[in-house]
Amino acid sequence: MKSEPEEFSIDDLRQCPNQTEPWNGVRNYQARNLIRDEMQKGDLAFFYHSSCAEPGIAGIMTITSSAYPDPTAFDPKGKYYDLKSRRDAPTWYLVDVKFKRKMKCIIPLGELKDHKPLQRMKLLQRGSRLSVMPVSQREWDYILKLE
DNA sequence: GCCAACGTTGGC
DNA sequence: GCCAACGTTGGC
């Protein structure tokens, strides 16, 4: 799951109450589908820092809820407002995430690209811009060994 | 700041 | 349903 650290970083998540935060603001249908249909309470996710000096995997978090409607879509004054999402027919969903740990060091995007077993990761596909992407068990385990 | 790639919008 | 125009993302 991607976030721009200047907006919201792994350290910001660690400092949240109960180290938990709703992962709101996802406004892409593919990402929405992954959140709504694929994520389960108890799953783990990498926290990826994007659009920054050192893009890469910064830490690990736990999904602590199943998907529920993103309330920020209902707030006309908020930057994530979307009038087509209605309370009786929500368009956008989110999950709650909880800080688990930081990586010992950020695992840079450039390093991930160097490893053949990772070359099929969604993150590394050309033009891939999704803010939420699947990671296979095999990729997950391999990345943990890069620390 | 540049630009490639992708998503969304809207006229037809 | 097509597709051009425009907006956004994100690495570099």
Side-chain angles (χ1 to χ4, degrees):
Chain A
M1 300 171 80
K2 292 186 191 172
S3 178
E4 300 184 15
E6 288 189 13
E7 282 286 321
F8 187 75
S9 72
I10 186 80
D11 288 319
D12 293 330
L13 177 60
R14 183 162 60 174
Q15 286 162 26
C16 286
N18 199 28
Q19 300 189 322
T20 300
E21 189 72 358
W23 195 269
N24 54 33
V26 172
R27 295 291 180 269
N28 170 282
Y29 286 100
Q30 269 182 272
R32 189 276 314 267
N33 292 348
L34 288 167
I35 288 173
R36 193 189 53 186
D37 306 334
E38 304 290 335
M39 287 189 173
Q40 293 183 340
K41 189 174 173 178
D43 284 349
L44 299 179
F46 287 127
F47 191 126
Y48 179 89
H49 283 177
S50 66
S51 291
C52 57
E54 193 179 29
I57 296 172
I60 296 174
M61 51 196 177
T62 307
I63 309 303
T64 57
S65 75
S66 51
Y68 61 98
D70 184 344
T72 65
F74 306 135
D75 174 10
K77 297 197 184 91
K79 64 174 172 176
Y80 295 127
Y81 177 62
D82 184 348
L83 96 177
K84 70 175 174 293
S85 188
R86 291 176 294 115
R87 288 180 192 276
D88 59 348
T91 304
W92 305 115
Y93 284 78
L94 53 68
V95 289
D96 293 335
V97 299
K98 179 170 186 168
F99 176 84
K100 185 173 173 68
R101 68 176 178 90
K102 290 174 76 169
M103 308 312 283
K104 298 186 185 89
C105 302
I106 283 189
I107 302 177
L109 176 62
E111 178 172 358
L112 298 174
K113 287 178 179 170
D114 286 341
H115 290 270
K116 207 164 184 192
L118 301 179
Q119 69 187 7
R120 296 184 65 181
M121 280 186 79
K122 262 283 194 302
L123 176 69
L124 303 183
Q125 303 310 303
R126 81 194 303 249
S128 183
R129 299 182 317 180
L130 273 182
S131 63
V132 176
M133 306 193 215
V135 180
S136 74
Q137 185 68 54
R138 188 177 296 253
E139 290 158 354
W140 180 277
D141 294 339
Y142 188 90
I143 289 166
L144 289 184
K145 288 191 292 184
L146 298 179
E147 274 194 296

